[in-house]
Amino acid sequence: MADAKIKKVHFFNGDAVSFAQSKDFGVLINLPKILPDAVSSVIVLELDKNAEKLNIINN
């Protein structure tokens, strides 16, 4: 995500998630051993820009 910086990462329920972002390795999100929901845990990334306006990455 070269076009945007992550401001905050958290689960949908509000629990904080630690992360690191750099140009060298991209984004590292540190998940807890036990997730809030064993079936479906949603992670929210709050960005410094509107995600709808970011460039699409094609690999």
Side-chain angles (χ1 to χ4, degrees):
M1 290 188 344
D3 296 345
K5 296 234 187 277
I6 298 173
K7 296 182 349 181
K8 183 178 177 182
V9 178
H10 58 90
F11 286 105
F12 193 69
N13 70 0
D15 293 348
V17 176
S18 65
F19 73 99
Q21 181 176 17
S22 77
K23 290 183 180 182
D24 295 333
F25 64 83
V27 177
L28 175 65
I29 298 174
N30 301 305
L31 298 176
K33 289 183 180 184
I34 299 173
L35 298 172
D37 186 301
V39 177
S40 177
S41 293
V42 176
I43 298 173
V44 179
L45 304 177
E46 293 185 21
L47 307 175
D48 65 348
K49 295 182 179 182
N50 183 340
E52 293 177 346
K53 296 185 180 185
L54 294 177
N55 293 325
I56 296 173
I57 300 172
N58 294 312
N59 289 335

